[in-house]
Every structure is written in C-alpha cells, then in structure tokens.
Amino acid sequence: MATRTYPKRKRAEISYCDDFTDATESDEYHSEIEEAPPSKATTKAAASTRPPPKKKIFPFFSLPPELRNKIYRYALTDSEPLFLVSRTRQYRHTAQIAAPIEAKDSRRRHRYWPYSSNPDPEKKSTFVPLLIPSLLALNHQIFDEAQPILYGGNVFALEDTTALHAFCANIGPKNCATLRELHIQAWGYTKSHKAMNHPAFTILGQAVNLERLYIDCQIHWGAPTHVAKQIFRDGHHWFEMIGTAKGRVDAAVDILDIGDKNLGARYQYTGENGRSWVKSPDEENKKKEFQTELRRLLKA
C-alpha cells in the first residue's frame, strides 16, 4: 500500500531575542556572575584540604631527647597504678584499663575485696586515668621512643592472674622486658581461676627487668612456709627464668613482695572505720621465714 505524502507547511522564522541591546546586557550579566569572588565557605573548605606549609609545622624532633621524653611522660603515664581487668573482645582474651572500684563492686570479686555499698565518687579510684596511647601511632620514631615509657613508666595493677596472663600475652616479649612494677590484686582459688596461676607466672618470665612484684592479696591462710610453697608451686618457672636472666638463682626473691596479708595480718573490726587489715606484730620475722623457705626450695 503506497503512503500518501503531504507538502510541508512553510512557517516564518521566529527570533526570541528582541534586539542586540538585550543580548549584550545578558552577556554582561553572565560575565558578572562568573567573575564573582568565591564565598568564605568555599575558600575554607579548599584551605582545609591543603597541607600546611612547612614553616607552620612544629619541629618536634628538633627538641632535645630529654624534653621529648618529658612530653611522652605527660601523655602516657599516671601517678596512680593503672588497673587492668580481663575481658573478651571478638573471641580474643584481652586486658582492659578500668577503675579499681569496678572490680570491687563486681559480684564475683566480693571474695577478694571487702564489699562497699556506698563508694565515694570523689575518690580517684572511681575514675579511669586518661592517657593518650594513640600517640604511638604517629610514626616509627615516636613509637620507638615512647613505648618504653608507656610500659616502664607506669605501675600496672592486675585484677587477678587471668588479667596478668592476658596482659603479658598481648603486649609481647619486647614490651614485657620494659615492665618495672606490677601489682596482683587477686589470686586464683577456684578450679577455673587456679588453673591460670601457673601459666600467668610462666609468661611473666619475659619481664626480666622487673623491679617489684607486689602480691596485694592473700595467697594462703597458713604459716609463711606454706605461703612460700604455694607461690613456688605456681611460679617456679618464673623464679628460674628471673634467676637465669640476672645470674643469681634467688634473684626473684628480692623482687617479690607478698604484702602483710600473707605475713600474719588479720582482717578484723577496728571500731568506727569498720573492718580493715591489721598487721601482725612479728611481721619481720615471718617475712624472713618466708624468704628462707623460698630460697631452700630454689636450692640457693
């Protein structure tokens, strides 16, 4: 079937610009818009993406090493012991910094600390120290200079031997070697917690430069000789590793401080202050008895 064709209708050409003057004014208007200065917000955003000039960067590494170490101590150390508790994150055992009052109010810790129903919120023990460990991530030189100060310039108080094991396992042998003072707040007594005493002391053998290990809890309820046997049973590998590192078999005996709770002190009623630990009158003799028995077990 043939298609029918029609002639195209002729239309007059239409112009949407009235005259030359209007077109010129429009061009001038657009040129004014293009030449307008950028806004303050645009300038600020552009400036924020630019790196600062070298003359405005503080020359931190031009400071003397003594002054840099002082800055590191301000950022990474605290005058109070750093309290660490054992936690599990993404199925990994870790040690987390916390306030000591957190463990004292915990239900499973009542056997280690006296219960306090009205903790004083004004005490420092209720607050977590504010450190800046992210400083170590700036570059390799700061990491190498500041890391020994973080671990060697602080006193770490471990919740129990489980927290001690998690702490030493996570920081590694190099950082363990920089530790100077540790406090252990609780000893494992039950079957599950007692199983961590020996591995915790074994991994602590990496801390060859340790100057003080303070046992701030009761290890055994018997005589000082029984306390010495108990701690030797749980930590004989630690005693041997410290002795090998320092060149003396009984070197760990001088590092160990078992506190007055293992030397005859009693937790008893003292009047208006309630119950507290009272030292034994013959504490010095019991301490000598403990050290003598420990050296005998070490065959020193």
Side-chain angles (χ1 to χ4, degrees):
M1 182 177 178
T3 57
R4 183 178 297 179
T5 59
Y6 297 94
K8 293 183 179 181
R9 186 174 59 182
K10 295 183 179 180
R11 295 181 181 179
E13 186 177 355
I14 301 174
S15 175
Y16 295 95
C17 182
D18 295 339
D19 53 12
F20 181 76
T21 306
D22 294 340
T24 307
E25 291 178 356
S26 176
D27 293 341
E28 291 178 356
Y29 173 74
H30 288 294
S31 64
E32 288 178 1
I33 294 178
E34 293 174 357
E35 294 176 0
S39 63
K40 291 184 179 180
T42 307
T43 308
K44 187 176 181 181
S48 63
T49 58
R50 296 182 203 149
K54 289 186 178 180
K55 62 181 181 180
K56 290 188 177 181
I57 299 176
F58 181 75
F60 180 74
F61 291 111
S62 65
L63 296 175
E66 297 81 7
L67 192 55
R68 293 204 302 269
N69 290 340
K70 191 172 184 179
I71 295 173
Y72 296 147
R73 281 191 288 271
Y74 275 124
L76 301 173
T77 62
D78 193 82
S79 58
E80 296 292 324
L82 302 182
F83 194 83
L84 301 177
V85 297
S86 58
R87 292 289 183 268
T88 303
R89 287 186 174 181
Q90 298 180 352
Y91 307 102
R92 297 172 64 90
H93 295 283
T94 62
Q96 176 181 317
I97 188 170
I101 201 70
E102 179 180 333
K104 292 184 180 181
D105 289 345
S106 176
R107 183 175 299 176
R108 69 188 182 93
R109 298 300 173 201
H110 286 170
R111 64 175 299 149
Y112 301 139
W113 287 283
Y115 176 71
S116 176
S117 58
N118 297 314
D120 186 0
E122 299 298 328
K123 289 183 179 179
K124 278 189 174 182
S125 60
T126 61
F127 301 100
V128 178
L130 296 177
L131 305 181
I132 313 175
S134 56
L135 179 67
L136 300 175
L138 290 179
N139 56 44
H140 291 288
Q141 184 173 349
I142 290 180
F143 182 86
D144 294 335
E145 292 178 353
Q147 193 175 30
I149 295 176
L150 173 62
Y151 293 105
N154 285 304
V155 177
F156 295 94
L158 289 310
E159 177 190 30
D160 51 14
T161 52
T162 304
L164 173 63
H165 184 272
F167 175 60
C168 293
N170 279 279
I171 67 174
K174 181 181 177 181
N175 294 324
C176 277
T178 62
L179 295 173
R180 292 293 182 269
E181 184 172 351
L182 295 177
H183 297 179
I184 299 178
Q185 304 292 120
W187 202 260
Y189 297 111
T190 62
K191 289 183 179 180
S192 58
H193 289 98
K194 184 164 43 175
M196 293 304 300
N197 294 342
H198 179 257
F201 267 83
T202 302
I203 198 172
L204 184 60
Q206 300 171 345
V208 293
N209 295 312
L210 198 64
E211 298 174 356
R212 185 182 182 226
L213 178 62
Y214 178 48
I215 310 295
D216 191 17
C217 59
Q218 198 166 12
I219 300 174
H220 199 280
W221 288 270
T225 54
H226 296 161
V227 177
K229 291 176 182 177
Q230 178 65 51
I231 198 169
F232 181 78
R233 184 185 296 113
D234 291 334
H236 60 90
H237 286 301
W238 176 72
F239 285 101
E240 294 169 359
M241 295 171 74
I242 296 298
T244 303
K246 295 188 178 294
R248 190 160 51 90
V249 178
D250 60 342
V253 179
D254 299 330
I255 298 173
L256 185 63
D257 183 359
I258 60 172
D260 52 5
K261 297 177 184 178
N262 296 291
L263 298 173
R266 291 291 177 264
Y267 187 66
Q268 60 189 23
Y269 182 75
T270 57
E272 296 180 358
N273 296 328
R275 298 171 63 86
S276 62
W277 287 94
V278 179
K279 292 185 178 182
S280 173
D282 56 344
E283 181 177 317
E284 290 298 324
N285 295 331
K286 291 186 177 182
K287 184 177 181 179
K288 292 180 182 178
E289 186 180 349
F290 164 79
Q291 292 179 342
T292 301
E293 178 64 17
L294 199 53
R295 287 189 170 92
R296 185 189 68 80
L297 295 170
L298 290 168
K299 299 179 181 179

